[in-house]
Amino acid sequence: MYGLHELIDRAISDGSDLNVFDKFVDLAMMCLEESGADRPPMSDVVKEIEIILHSIGLDPAADQSEPSTSSSFQHNEYVKVALFLSLLVLFCPSFSSSEDVKLKVKGVTNIATTDENFICATLDWWPSDKCDYNQCPWGKAGILNLDLNNTILSNAIKAFNPLRIRLGGSLEDQIIYQFGKQKHCPTMKKKDNGLFGFSVGCLPKKRWDEINHFFNKIGIKFTFGLNALIGKKNSKEDQLNWKGDWNPNNAISLMKYTVSKGYNIDSYELGNELCSEGVSARLDSVQYAKDITKLRHIVNSLYPNATTRPKVLGPAGFYGKEWFDSFLQHVGPGVIDGVTHHIYNLGAGSY
C-alpha cells in the first residue's frame, strides 16, 4: 500500500489487521486527486469513514473515552482510526474546497542579480573529423573553420543579443597561439594518446584577427578560454592528473597583440573542465588557484585601466564541493571575477 506499511510504528501495527489502514489510505489518496472533480466532497468522506468504523465494530457516536479491559483491542483500533481521521481532516477540506491558490511574495531584499548577458553560447575547437556514435556532425562548425561571413550566423547572433560567446571547449587546453616566439602553427590531427583523441592544434594570427573583427562588429560579449596545461606534464602514476606550474608566455603574447589591436575582450577563462574529477585531464585545486592568480596579475598588468580590464573567470568545469571549497579558500579575494561551472542537463550528447 504505497510502501506505507513499513512506516507504521510497530506499537500501533503489531498484531493488528491492516485492512483498516489500507481503507483509510485509499480514502486519503482520493482526496489528493489533482482535479477537484475527481476528489470526493466532505459529506462522502464522512460517510465512508462511518462505514469503515462500523466494519470494525466501532460506533463513532459512542463514548470511547473510558474503554474497558475487555475492549482494549477495540480501543487500540479506535486510536488508529483517530490518527487517520486527523490526516483526512487536514487534507480533504483544503483540497476539495478550492482549485486555485494565490501566493503573494513581497520581495524586499535582492539575494542575487543577473545582468542582461546571461545567455551564453560556446564555439568549440572540434575539427571536421570529430566523430561520435558513428556520426561526424561538426562539419565546419568549429572555431578554426566556421564561415564568419555566413549571414545566417550573424543574424542568429544578432537575434540573441545581448549575447555572450565563449571560445573554448574540450580541446582548449591543447591549443597554442601563433604569437611571439610561436612561429610554427601545427594542424590538429587525430592522435590515439592525445587529449580527446587529437594532437596539439594552433590558433593562427590571421584567424584571431578574423574572429575579433567579426565579434566586435556584431557587438557581443566575448569570453576567451586560455590553454591551462602549457608547461604541465601528466603524472606517471595517474595519467589524468597533470602537474607543474602554468607557463603563460604564449598566452601573454596573444594578449599583448590583442591589446595592441584594440580588440574588446570581455573576459579570459583559464582551462576547460580540469577541476574536480576532470574529463580528459585534471588539476589539483591548490595548483589551479596558483595558476589563475598568475593570470590575474597578467591581466592587471596588461590592462591597467580597471574600467576596460577583462574579467578573470574559472574554473569552467564540473562542480565538486571538496575541490571548489579548497580552490576558493586558496585563491583568496580579488583574483577571480566570476566562478564558472558546467552542467549537462541533457547528458554528454549521446542521443
Side-chain angles (χ1 to χ4, degrees), residues 125 144 174-178 184-186 188 200-204:
W125 292 95
L144 296 177
Q174 58 197 89
I175 299 294
I176 56 177
Y177 320 118
Q178 194 182 30
H184 176 58
C185 200
M188 188 180 299
V200 170
C202 177
L203 172 64

Side-chain angles (χ1 to χ4, degrees), residues 26 34 101 122 139 169 196 214 232 278 291 300:
D26 284 336
E34 183 175 353
V101 176
T122 294
F196 296 98
F214 176 72
K232 300 179 183 293
D291 294 339
N300 288 355

Side-chain angles (χ1 to χ4, degrees), residues 153-228:
L153 174 65
S154 58
N155 288 338
I157 293 175
K158 290 176 182 178
F160 276 101
N161 262 341
L163 175 69
R164 177 182 302 277
I165 290 186
R166 168 182 175 260
L167 256 65
S170 301
L171 301 179
E172 171 184 322
D173 295 299
Q174 58 197 89
I175 299 294
I176 56 177
Y177 320 118
Q178 194 182 30
F179 296 95
K181 296 181 179 180
Q182 186 63 47
K183 305 301 182 183
H184 176 58
C185 200
T187 300
M188 188 180 299
K189 298 179 180 179
K190 287 188 174 182
K191 183 180 180 182
D192 290 339
N193 61 345
L195 289 180
F196 296 98
F198 285 91
S199 65
V200 170
C202 177
L203 172 64
K205 180 186 294 185
K206 180 182 178 182
R207 187 59 173 174
W208 184 241
D209 289 332
E210 293 171 349
I211 290 170
N212 278 279
H213 289 153
F214 176 72
F215 286 159
N216 289 174
K217 179 180 67 175
I218 296 294
I220 53 93
K221 297 283 187 179
F222 179 19
T223 296
F224 185 70
L226 294 167
N227 183 340

Side-chain angles (χ1 to χ4, degrees), residues 5 56 77 98 115 177 216 241 267 276:
H5 286 178
I56 59 173
E77 293 293 331
S98 177
D115 67 17
Y177 320 118
N216 289 174
N241 197 24
S267 47
S276 301

Side-chain angles (χ1 to χ4, degrees), residues 1-144:
M1 177 57 67
Y2 306 101
L4 296 176
H5 286 178
E6 291 78 8
L7 302 179
I8 304 175
D9 193 320
R10 290 186 177 181
I12 297 176
S13 64
D14 279 358
S16 300
D17 188 351
L18 292 177
N19 286 337
V20 175
F21 174 84
D22 294 344
K23 291 179 180 179
F24 273 104
V25 172
D26 284 336
L27 185 56
M29 296 307 294
M30 291 173 62
C31 291
L32 297 176
E33 288 290 343
E34 183 175 353
S35 172
D38 296 328
R39 295 193 292 268
M42 276 306 298
S43 58
D44 290 352
V45 173
V46 172
K47 289 180 181 179
E48 186 63 27
I49 290 172
E50 291 176 346
I51 293 173
I52 297 173
L53 292 178
H54 282 297
S55 72
I56 59 173
L58 289 178
D59 182 0
D63 183 7
Q64 299 288 338
S65 59
E66 296 182 1
S68 64
T69 303
S70 61
S71 62
S72 59
F73 168 76
Q74 188 181 40
H75 177 63
N76 184 45
E77 293 293 331
Y78 189 84
V79 171
K80 291 192 292 181
V81 169
L83 172 62
F84 294 116
L85 277 173
S86 299
L87 292 174
L88 289 172
V89 170
L90 285 173
F91 281 113
C92 283
S94 60
F95 279 93
S96 60
S97 61
S98 177
E99 279 292 311
D100 300 315
V101 176
K102 292 184 179 180
L103 178 65
K104 182 180 289 186
V105 178
K106 184 179 181 181
V108 294
T109 304
N110 291 332
I111 61 173
T113 58
T114 301
D115 67 17
E116 61 180 6
N117 300 106
F118 65 92
I119 300 177
C120 178
T122 294
L123 288 179
D124 216 311
W125 292 95
W126 293 117
S128 57
D129 55 350
K130 162 65 175 173
C131 304
D132 288 299
Y133 319 109
N134 299 318
Q135 297 184 39
C136 306
W138 281 90
K140 293 187 177 181
I143 294 171
L144 296 177

